[in-house]
Amino acid sequence: MPHTKTDFHETLINSTRLFEGKIINLRRDEVMLPNGKTGTREVVEHPGAVAIVPITNDGRVILVRQFRHPVQQVMLEVPAGKLDPGERPEACALRELAEETGFVANNLRKLTAMYTTPGFSNEVIHVYLAEGLVESDKQPDEDEFINTETYTSEQIREMIISGEICDAKSLVALYLAGI
Amino acid sequence: MPHTKTDFHETLINSTRLFEGKIINLRRDEVMLPNGKTGTREVVEHPGAVAIVPITNDGRVILVRQFRHPVQQVMLEVPAGKLDPGERPEACALRELAEETGFVANNLRKLTAMYTTPGFSNEVIHVYLAEGLVESDKQPDEDEFINTETYTSEQIREMIISGEICDAKSLVALYLAGI
């Protein structure tokens, strides 16, 4: 590679905390740019999250349908959820899978970790494939209203093309799972 | 589908604007949940963005390398940028392509539109394939420090596996472009 990190490095001058919320925090940083000028950067702090592609024993994929307030739309996505403080991503994946779908996975395999929006947030999503599923008790969070639905790979590919599945983490997760 | 939007619908009770920034705004909404309880929703408002997969006339892909302050990392991504007020996505894609890479595209084809983080933001990214590239003048934004680099499809697949390309929009865009 012709370029190193130092070509682009910004130096932090000042950081202002603007909001501390239930899921996200917001801060505004003032930085010195490589040309010596100053710039501002708005940063949404996120604890990180997991996304899971659960494959049933007959080869179908479990998705979750829920209302997403920020986009005012009912969406069909892979199961996902944010990390609790100090929680390891694998543990979070198993917990969220059980909470949202009622299944325990005997085989959990990491597919990737990715940044969702590195331009304004530090959110990382750890993506897993879950197989060897066994039913347990479904325990959704108190303020989550979620339906689980299972689909064949072909149905999922059609829903990706039609735009019914249209969030970035689900698209990446399903592609990486070979759906 | 067994479920309709009304199964999940949340009713807005109250909305508080917390921050208006250069790129994002933040508000906190209080909603009535389907069970009659109230909940809060933190929403990052984003103007929307475009991402472009530019294919050179010899079949290589142009990527951009830049420091991303929120993740404190130099990242290699597809060219992208946010919509100006009132700007159509296609116009934005051509503008950002020229600004970030110095190329004009004779053929621009929409691949998809997706939500990056529907759990806390309304950001939509419109994804385009750009072909028939002709060199123009590169005009990056004043506070953008960007290098352009071109890669073969094989190199890109290797960098996806190695994790060097690791942001959601680039992964989706490159998959959809058939890379």
Side-chain angles (χ1 to χ4, degrees):
Chain A
M1 292 298 148
H3 307 289
T4 64
K5 187 169 179 173
T6 51
D7 288 336
F8 304 97
H9 195 64
E10 301 176 350
T11 307
L12 184 66
I13 298 171
N14 185 42
S15 186
T16 307
R17 295 197 74 71
L18 300 167
F19 174 72
E20 302 211 340
K22 199 174 59 163
I23 296 179
I24 55 174
N25 301 324
L26 179 66
R27 67 174 202 266
R28 182 171 45 200
D29 291 346
E30 190 184 359
V31 296
M32 182 171 293
L33 303 173
N35 63 2
K37 293 185 179 179
T38 59
T40 60
R41 300 283 183 255
E42 297 154 1
V43 180
V44 174
E45 298 176 351
H46 189 285
V50 300
I52 310 110
V53 182
I55 311 285
T56 64
N57 294 332
D58 63 349
R60 293 161 68 92
V61 182
I62 305 175
L63 298 180
V64 295
R65 189 179 294 272
Q66 65 192 307
F67 183 71
R68 290 298 204 172
H69 178 80
V71 298
Q72 288 290 299
Q73 197 172 307
V74 174
M75 293 193 63
L76 189 62
E77 303 167 51
V78 298
K82 66 180 198 299
L83 295 166
D84 283 340
E87 189 177 33
R88 289 175 54 242
E90 291 77 9
C92 181
L94 292 172
R95 177 178 59 75
E96 288 288 349
L97 180 67
E99 285 179 3
E100 294 197 348
T101 73
F103 280 97
V104 171
N106 285 309
N107 305 322
L108 192 70
R109 182 159 65 87
K110 190 157 190 176
L111 297 176
T112 197
M114 63 180 171
Y115 293 116
T116 51
T117 50
F120 69 86
S121 173
N122 67 346
E123 188 191 19
V124 176
I125 295 190
H126 304 267
V127 182
Y128 292 89
L129 182 71
E131 295 177 303
L133 302 187
V134 180
E135 275 198 80
S136 73
D137 291 332
K138 184 175 170 178
Q139 300 165 322
D141 284 351
E142 204 177 66
D143 65 348
E144 284 187 320
F145 296 85
I146 291 179
N147 278 321
T148 60
E149 302 174 13
T150 62
Y151 293 98
T152 65
S153 299
E154 188 176 19
Q155 287 173 317
I156 285 179
R157 287 192 291 269
E158 284 169 5
M159 292 190 294
I160 289 174
I161 291 169
S162 74
E164 183 161 2
I165 298 172
C166 63
D167 72 296
K169 73 170 173 320
S170 295
L171 294 173
V172 171
L174 293 165
Y175 287 128
L176 287 179
I179 304 299
Chain B
M1 291 298 148
H3 306 291
T4 63
K5 187 169 180 175
T6 51
D7 288 335
F8 305 98
H9 196 64
E10 300 176 351
T11 308
L12 183 66
I13 298 170
N14 185 42
S15 187
T16 307
R17 294 197 75 71
L18 300 166
F19 173 74
E20 303 211 341
K22 199 175 58 164
I23 295 179
I24 56 174
N25 302 324
L26 178 66
R27 67 174 202 267
R28 183 171 45 200
D29 291 346
E30 191 184 358
V31 296
M32 182 171 294
L33 304 172
N35 63 1
K37 293 184 179 179
T38 59
T40 60
R41 300 282 183 256
E42 296 154 2
V43 180
V44 173
E45 298 175 352
H46 189 284
V50 300
I52 310 110
V53 182
I55 311 284
T56 64
N57 294 331
D58 62 351
R60 292 161 69 91
V61 181
I62 305 175
L63 298 180
V64 295
R65 190 179 293 271
Q66 64 192 306
F67 183 72
R68 288 300 204 172
H69 177 79
V71 298
Q72 288 290 299
Q73 196 172 310
V74 174
M75 293 192 65
L76 189 62
E77 303 166 54
V78 298
K82 67 180 198 300
L83 295 166
D84 283 339
E87 189 177 32
R88 289 175 55 241
E90 292 76 11
C92 181
L94 292 172
R95 178 178 58 75
E96 288 288 348
L97 180 67
E99 286 179 3
E100 293 198 348
T101 73
F103 280 96
V104 172
N106 284 310
N107 304 322
L108 192 70
R109 182 160 64 88
K110 189 158 191 175
L111 297 176
T112 197
M114 63 181 171
Y115 293 115
T116 51
T117 51
F120 69 86
S121 173
N122 67 347
E123 187 192 20
V124 176
I125 295 190
H126 304 267
V127 182
Y128 293 90
L129 183 70
E131 296 177 303
L133 302 187
V134 180
E135 276 198 80
S136 73
D137 292 331
K138 184 173 170 178
Q139 301 165 322
D141 283 352
E142 205 176 66
D143 65 348
E144 284 187 319
F145 296 86
I146 290 179
N147 278 321
T148 60
E149 303 174 14
T150 62
Y151 294 98
T152 64
S153 298
E154 189 176 19
Q155 288 173 318
I156 284 179
R157 286 192 292 269
E158 284 168 4
M159 291 190 294
I160 289 173
I161 291 168
S162 74
E164 183 161 0
I165 298 171
C166 64
D167 71 297
K169 74 170 172 321
S170 295
L171 294 173
V172 171
L174 292 165
Y175 286 128
L176 287 179
I179 304 299

